[in-house]
């Protein structure tokens, strides 16, 4: 091993040939011997550059329909041999194996093939064997070999070839190896996750290749990074980068708005809806969503499931908000919204979201299925003498959607497709209810004729009693308490309806 290594022999085996030509030309200029096989060999030859077939080196043809091409001691010996290690050098000479100083590999596109919904036989054929082996071998021997395992590193390699005359330093080779092991581990994780879909093994593996360093984490003294591709999820029209807290709220906003099909606007603070309304037109939805709690709306995240027009944009621009998300905006709306500095304006793209949720916990990770269940009128069982009206059932459905996405313990009041108030994150359910009543009264809402939804059962009848005194006419809860009978009896006494769904929606 030496600090500086001159590239004399290179092995190139890539699936995609994009941006490879400049590197081939530089290697040719430097007089480097190039070994290759299959389509890559043809590509190089068509550039008018001399290339040595791997079959000529190994004296063995590509077999099994191309499944075995580079898996040979004369290839891997040249990669793994330790330079200036006497025993290795002697064996290289004995078996006439050239030292391979540079390996360029672009793996079969396994993940792309899976995403294309191809048949399993095609997916299996895209599991790269030779390529992944070449990457690991060259990366292991980084003290003597350069490994380029990603098209993203082609410009780096090209610059080194041009500026350093085909020599590399140990630090440079270590850096390439570091990146190469990231490529190989991500590739193996993707294959494992494909096979782990049915009868899964109880192991946790995630690998995300794209990331964005955030200004800071939840607080300025904490570092933060987002792992994922935000550009696939959103098109940013205006404003600064999303912060850690923005992202947490945006995630909650997306989950909430996806429950609704009619034109709906929601305003969130600290992942909870402080305003939400469904109307025939998006402007009306915005006005009524803001009316729920215009104080908490200050500095919030706003999300809509319909196009924002100029009139709606003008109304939204009257308050300070952090982020606005919608599937589309008219040109006039965009110009109005851009008039406010630092407002983040996003177009939401159609992207499939994960079906699993996980987070670090204690000395490990906890994972669960996403809560993808929501109970509508068909899943509501009336347990009281009074039956809810059809209008009340619609409001109960609306309230149930909101309560599902609100921090426990929570109580939600709704009427006519509008959130009237909610009690959020309290340590007792009755405190959540009292908080919701106070909120509704402080903003002038009349709760008479409204409905109430609870994320979990009522342990005592006090919640129902207080709700009835506030004017609530119908209540939704999952049921399941040993004291359900007491709450039902209280409803009958107060002549209000209660429906149970059998599904709890805790959110911690």
């Amino acid at each position: 091993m030496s600090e500086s290594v001159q590239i004399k022999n290179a092995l190139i085996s890539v699936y995609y040939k994009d941006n490879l030509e400049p590197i081939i030309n530089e290697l040719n200029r430097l007089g480097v011997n190039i070994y290759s096989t299959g389509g890559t060999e043809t590509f190089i030859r068509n550039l008018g550059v001399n290339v040595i077939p791997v079959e000529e080196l190994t004296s063995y043809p590509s077999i099994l329909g191309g499944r075995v091409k580079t898996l040979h001691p004369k290839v891997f010996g040249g990669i793994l041999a330790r330079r200036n290690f006497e025993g290795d050098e002697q064996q290289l000479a004995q078996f006439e194996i050239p030292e391979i100083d540079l390996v360029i590999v672009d793996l079969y596109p396994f993940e792309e093939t899976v995403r294309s919904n191809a048949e399993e036989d095609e997916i299996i054929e895209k599991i790269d064997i030779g390529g992944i082996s070449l990457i690991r071998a060259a990366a292991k021997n980084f003290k003597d070999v350069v490994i380029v395992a990603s098209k993203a590193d082609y410009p780096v390699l090209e610059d080194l070839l041009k500026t350093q005359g085909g020599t590399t330093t140990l630090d440079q080779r270590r850096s390439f190896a570091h990146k190469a092991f990231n490529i190989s581990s991500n590739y193996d994780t993707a294959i494992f996750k494909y096979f782990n879909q049915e009868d899964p093994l109880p192991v946790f593996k995630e690998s995300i290749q794209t990331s964005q360093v955030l200004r800071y984490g939840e607080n300025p003294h904490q570092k933060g990074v987002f792992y994922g591709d935000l550009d696939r999820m959103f098109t940013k029209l205006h404003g600064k980068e999303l912060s850690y807290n923005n992202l947490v709220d945006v995630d909650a906003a997306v989950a909430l708005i996806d429950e609704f099909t009619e034109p709906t606007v929601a305003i969130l603070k600290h992942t909870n809806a402080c305003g939400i309304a469904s109307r025939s037109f998006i402007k009306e939805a915005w006005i009524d969503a803001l009316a729920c709690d215009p104080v908490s709306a200050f500095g919030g995240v706003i999300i809509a499931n319909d196009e924002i027009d100029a009139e709606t944009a003008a109304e939204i621009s009257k308050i300070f908000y952090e982020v606005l998300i919608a599937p589309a905006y008219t040109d006039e709306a965009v110009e109005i919204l851009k008039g406010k500095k630092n407002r983040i304006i996003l177009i939401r793209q159609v992207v499939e979201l994960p079906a699993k949720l996980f987070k670090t916990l204690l000395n490990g990770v906890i994972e669960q299925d996403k809560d993808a269940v929501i109970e509508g009128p068909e899943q509501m069982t009336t347990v009281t003498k009074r039956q809810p009206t059809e209008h009340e059932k619609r409001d109960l459905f609306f309230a149930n959607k909101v309560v599902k996405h609100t921090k426990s313990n929570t109580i939600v009041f709704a009427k006519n497709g509008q959130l009237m108030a909610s009690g959020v994150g309290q340590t007792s359910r009755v405190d959540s209810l009292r908080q919701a009543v106070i909120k509704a009264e402080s903003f002038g809402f009349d709760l008479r004729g409204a409905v109430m939804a609870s994320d979990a059962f009522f342990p005592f009848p006090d919640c129902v009693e207080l709700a009835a005194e506030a004017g609530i006419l119908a209540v939704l809860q999952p049921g399941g308490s040993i004291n359900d009978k007491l709450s039902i009896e209280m409803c009958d006494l107060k002549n209000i309806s209660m429906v149970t769904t059998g599904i709890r929606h805790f959110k911690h």
Side-chain angles (χ1 to χ4, degrees):
M1 183 275 295
S2 63
E3 170 69 23
S4 179
V5 172
Q6 179 73 39
I7 298 173
K8 303 180 294 295
N9 299 302
L11 172 64
I12 305 175
S13 178
V14 298
Y15 188 85
Y16 291 118
K17 292 24 175 218
D18 310 14
N19 303 318
L20 185 62
E21 182 177 351
I23 291 174
I24 300 298
N25 290 333
E26 280 302 311
L27 292 172
N28 185 51
R29 181 183 67 82
L30 293 168
V32 174
N33 297 315
I34 301 175
Y35 295 87
S36 191
T37 186
T40 310
E41 177 193 341
T42 302
F43 174 81
I44 297 170
R45 201 176 302 283
N46 288 340
L47 293 176
V49 174
N50 186 49
V51 57
I52 305 168
V54 168
E55 294 86 346
E56 187 176 307
L57 171 64
T58 63
S59 301
Y60 215 89
S62 172
I63 62 172
L64 306 181
R67 280 189 164 196
V68 180
K69 291 181 285 191
T70 57
L71 295 170
H72 193 280
K74 280 205 168 184
V75 173
F76 283 84
I79 296 170
L80 287 165
R82 290 159 291 186
R83 279 50 160 178
N84 300 326
F85 190 85
E86 186 176 350
D88 288 7
E89 293 290 341
Q90 288 175 352
Q91 288 188 322
L92 289 182
Q94 178 184 354
F95 296 107
E96 299 181 331
I97 300 173
E99 293 177 345
I100 296 176
D101 315 295
L102 168 65
V103 176
I104 303 176
V105 174
D106 177 45
L107 296 170
Y108 290 168
F110 177 81
E111 291 180 273
E112 291 178 30
T113 308
V114 172
R115 285 195 295 267
S116 72
N117 296 316
E119 296 295 325
E120 181 162 88
D121 285 349
E122 184 180 349
I123 291 172
I124 298 304
E125 285 306 308
K126 289 300 187 292
I127 298 177
D128 204 315
I129 303 301
I132 204 76
S133 302
L134 291 170
I135 289 173
R136 292 180 65 84
K140 175 178 179 175
N141 203 24
F142 70 90
K143 291 183 179 180
D144 297 300
V145 179
V146 179
I147 172 62
V148 176
S150 169
K151 292 182 291 184
D153 285 328
Y154 286 3
V156 179
L157 176 62
E158 183 183 352
D159 182 65
L160 290 180
L161 294 173
K162 287 180 176 179
T163 60
Q164 296 179 193
T167 63
T168 59
T169 67
L170 179 59
D171 285 344
Q172 289 166 345
R173 295 192 297 277
R174 180 186 284 273
S175 176
F176 279 121
H178 184 188
K179 296 176 183 178
F181 280 124
N182 174 47
I183 295 293
S184 65
S185 65
N186 177 73
Y187 197 76
D188 285 340
T189 297
I191 295 169
F192 170 79
K193 292 185 73 173
Y194 171 76
F195 280 96
N196 207 44
Q197 296 177 90
E198 297 180 14
D199 192 22
L201 297 175
V203 296
F204 180 82
K205 289 182 185 290
E206 286 293 334
S207 180
I208 302 173
Q209 292 293 85
T210 53
S211 65
Q212 178 178 323
V213 177
L214 306 174
R215 296 196 299 276
Y216 51 80
E218 199 164 8
N219 298 291
H221 64 276
Q222 296 169 273
K223 293 181 180 180
V225 180
F226 175 79
Y227 294 98
D229 188 356
L230 283 175
D231 291 338
R232 285 188 63 232
M233 185 85 193
F234 301 109
T235 300
K236 187 172 74 171
L237 301 180
H238 183 65
K240 57 188 178 182
E241 297 300 321
L242 289 165
S243 70
Y244 182 100
N245 292 329
N246 288 154
L247 286 167
V248 173
D249 283 335
V250 166
D251 177 69
V254 167
L256 173 60
I257 204 70
D258 282 352
E259 301 285 359
F260 297 87
T261 54
E262 60 274 37
T264 301
V265 174
I267 310 166
L268 287 88
K269 284 287 287 290
H270 302 293
T271 75
N272 297 302
C274 58
I276 182 168
S278 297
R279 293 291 181 261
S280 299
F281 301 98
I282 206 70
K283 178 184 174 183
E284 297 171 352
W286 161 250
I287 291 171
D288 289 344
L290 179 62
C292 300
D293 185 349
V295 175
S296 296
F298 181 87
V301 168
I302 304 167
I303 190 165
N305 62 358
D306 205 351
E307 182 180 67
I308 301 295
D309 57 25
E311 288 188 6
T312 308
E315 291 295 324
I316 292 173
S317 292
K318 292 178 181 178
I319 73 159
F320 169 73
Y321 59 89
E322 288 274 353
V323 185
L324 173 61
I325 309 164
Y329 303 82
T330 64
D331 292 342
E332 295 87 348
V334 171
E335 290 307 309
I336 293 169
L337 295 167
K338 283 184 176 180
K340 297 291 185 178
K341 186 180 180 181
N342 289 332
R343 304 294 196 272
I344 302 172
I345 312 300
L346 303 175
I347 297 176
R348 182 183 171 189
Q349 308 297 340
V350 178
V351 174
E352 184 178 359
L353 298 174
K356 297 278 189 180
L357 304 175
F358 64 87
K359 64 179 179 180
T360 56
L361 195 86
L362 299 175
N363 62 341
V365 172
I366 191 169
E367 182 183 68
Q368 66 172 349
D369 296 333
K370 180 179 286 188
D371 186 357
V373 175
I374 188 65
E375 309 78 51
E378 296 79 12
Q379 290 79 39
M380 298 176 189
T381 300
T382 303
V383 293
T384 51
K385 293 176 183 177
R386 181 183 183 274
Q387 297 282 328
T389 66
E390 291 303 311
H391 183 81
E392 288 167 352
K393 285 183 180 180
R394 287 193 294 273
D395 276 342
L396 287 170
F397 188 24
F398 176 94
N400 197 30
K401 294 175 181 179
V402 178
V403 87
K404 171 184 169 181
H405 295 277
T406 307
K407 188 172 179 62
S408 302
N409 289 308
T410 182
I411 293 290
V412 165
F413 295 148
K415 183 164 69 174
N416 299 327
Q418 179 187 23
L419 174 66
M420 309 205 79
S422 60
V424 176
Q426 299 302 302
T427 51
S428 73
R429 195 156 303 281
V430 70
D431 282 346
S432 293
L433 190 146
R434 290 191 180 108
Q435 182 189 63
V437 171
I438 292 170
K439 273 258 186 181
E441 290 175 348
S442 68
F443 291 110
F445 284 111
D446 183 358
L447 291 176
R448 288 176 296 179
V451 305
M452 177 175 81
S454 173
D455 61 328
F457 61 64
F458 299 113
F460 306 105
D462 50 358
C463 285
V464 173
E465 184 177 13
L466 290 172
E469 290 173 1
I472 299 298
L473 286 183
V475 176
L476 178 145
Q477 59 133 334
S481 168
I482 58 174
N483 288 328
D484 273 352
K485 182 180 178 183
L486 298 179
S487 293
I488 294 169
E489 288 175 349
M490 181 59 69
C491 284
D492 287 337
L493 179 65
K494 298 294 184 178
N495 193 31
I496 65 176
S497 303
M498 175 180 283
V499 300
T500 60
T501 62
I503 301 295
R504 187 185 73 186
H505 290 294
F506 269 165
K507 185 184 178 191
H508 285 87

